[in-house]
Amino acid sequence: MDMDSTSGLYPLHRSKTIHLVRHAQGIHNVIGDKDYKAYMSPDYFDAELTPLGWHQVENLRKHVHASGLAKKIDVVITSPLLRTMQTAVGVFGGEGYTDTVDALPLMLANVGNSARSAISSLNCPPIIAVELCREHLGVHPCDRRRSVGEYQCLFPAVDFSLIESDEDVLWKANIRETREELAIRGKKFFDWLWTRKEKEIAIVTHSGFLFHTLATFGNDCHPLVRKEITKHFANCELRSMVIVDKSMLGSDSSTTDYPGRIPSGPDTPSDEKIANDKPVSGST
């Protein structure tokens, strides 16, 4: 019998919905997208968002609220670089911060010379910084991060507890991570997601990380579906996808499956059996 190979079927509790976001336009993108050598400039160390980038953040924020996505996301994972964290808190953070409230802001005012007001940590998902989803490591100053201590001052309510080293020990001035190494790190990041209990996760990261990681997926799909998965992200683009745990990496149990036969016990006779067992009229 021919089997339909165009569809896949997996238990719901072995899947997560992820919302992938590339950071908004950074100062390094303005020239770097035209001249790749510009990424070597020390002027772009840990590049911040441009004014245009902040407008892109505002528009994506409007979209995630209008679509209802803002209420669905359980956690936001962000690369611990200035441009990704600015994008993460700007898109998914709370409304305007007031210092009369007893809660730390996600971001202080004017971080990265942004002329932006502080951003509240209320009524929004937690935001966690994770090293695994950083951009290509090494050589390019724009991809080098500051110390965690400095970031904690700028982004007080962002969770940096998963970052092991205060200083950036991963970035090397003369060694650039290969595409293959980046893809392996990306796969490791996706596997790490299965250690999280959250089912709907926003991830704010980088063009290179997304392109080389997603290129490892979709080989069993129609070419147009694979193209949807692997094409380059524009600044502040969001794409929603589903990942499936095929290898029992996660340990979540289903919240919707129901085992049946509760209560258990001997079966009640069927209507047909009851009908056949009716006594004949007039018999004793």
Side-chain angles (χ1 to χ4, degrees):
M1 182 174 66
D2 290 332
M3 300 296 289
D4 179 9
S5 61
T6 62
S7 299
L9 186 66
Y10 304 97
L12 178 62
H13 68 280
R14 301 208 175 276
S15 69
K16 292 181 187 287
T17 301
I18 58 173
H19 305 282
L20 301 172
V21 179
R22 180 190 175 191
H23 64 79
Q25 186 192 64
I27 60 170
H28 64 308
N29 295 137
V30 178
I31 299 176
D33 287 353
K34 301 172 185 176
D35 179 9
Y36 187 77
K37 292 180 181 178
Y39 288 125
M40 298 293 293
S41 172
D43 293 340
Y44 298 139
F45 165 64
D46 194 18
E48 71 269 16
L49 297 187
T50 64
L52 176 61
W54 277 108
H55 286 307
Q56 294 170 346
V57 166
E58 290 169 359
N59 285 333
L60 180 53
R61 180 182 179 84
K62 290 175 184 175
H63 168 74
V64 299
H65 281 270
S67 65
L69 186 57
K71 294 182 179 179
K72 296 179 181 179
I73 291 172
D74 300 315
V75 67
V76 178
I77 305 298
T78 180
S79 161
L81 289 174
L82 190 56
R83 59 191 182 271
T84 42
M85 291 190 289
Q86 286 178 314
T87 302
V89 301
V91 172
F92 300 106
E95 297 297 334
Y97 175 75
T98 171
D99 55 13
T100 60
V101 178
D102 237 5
L104 293 173
L106 280 170
M107 185 181 82
L108 299 183
N110 199 36
V111 166
N113 299 313
S114 63
R116 312 294 294 192
S117 301
I119 296 175
S120 172
S121 60
L122 298 177
N123 302 313
C124 65
I127 298 181
I128 304 173
V130 174
E131 297 256 49
L132 277 175
C133 61
R134 284 177 61 173
E135 184 57 297
H136 257 120
L137 295 168
V139 180
H140 294 178
C142 58
D143 300 328
R144 184 181 183 183
R145 71 164 172 83
R146 302 164 199 256
S147 70
V148 170
E150 187 173 354
Y151 282 146
Q152 286 174 324
C153 294
L154 302 175
F155 300 92
V158 171
D159 183 353
F160 294 97
S161 63
L162 296 180
I163 298 180
E164 296 180 357
S165 174
D166 182 58
E167 298 298 330
D168 189 356
V169 298
L170 300 177
W171 187 91
K172 308 296 182 186
N174 58 348
I175 301 175
R176 183 76 166 162
E177 187 178 31
T178 67
R179 295 173 179 178
E180 293 75 20
E181 289 169 338
L182 176 55
I184 290 170
R185 175 161 60 84
K187 291 280 282 185
K188 185 177 180 181
F189 171 75
F190 272 56
D191 288 347
W192 172 81
L193 291 176
W194 293 108
T195 69
R196 306 290 310 182
K197 66 181 184 304
E198 298 89 358
K199 301 295 287 183
E200 195 128 359
I201 302 173
I203 299 161
V204 184
T205 180
H206 306 265
S207 174
F209 175 86
L210 288 165
F211 180 76
H212 294 296
T213 300
L214 296 180
T216 65
F217 292 91
N219 292 317
D220 55 347
C221 298
H222 186 281
L224 292 179
V225 175
R226 188 173 192 279
K227 185 178 179 180
E228 276 189 83
I229 295 171
T230 60
K231 65 181 180 179
H232 279 285
F233 275 65
N235 284 123
C236 223
E237 180 178 352
L238 179 152
R239 283 184 226 159
S240 299
M241 303 187 187
V242 174
I243 56 173
V244 176
D245 177 13
K246 298 180 181 180
S247 303
M248 298 290 286
L249 294 173
S251 58
D252 291 350
S253 57
S254 173
T255 59
T256 57
D257 288 0
Y258 186 76
R261 295 187 69 87
I262 298 175
S264 60
D267 289 339
T268 301
S270 67
D271 292 341
E272 182 181 356
K273 186 168 186 281
I274 291 173
N276 291 338
D277 287 347
K278 284 183 180 178
V280 178
S281 178
S283 64
T284 59

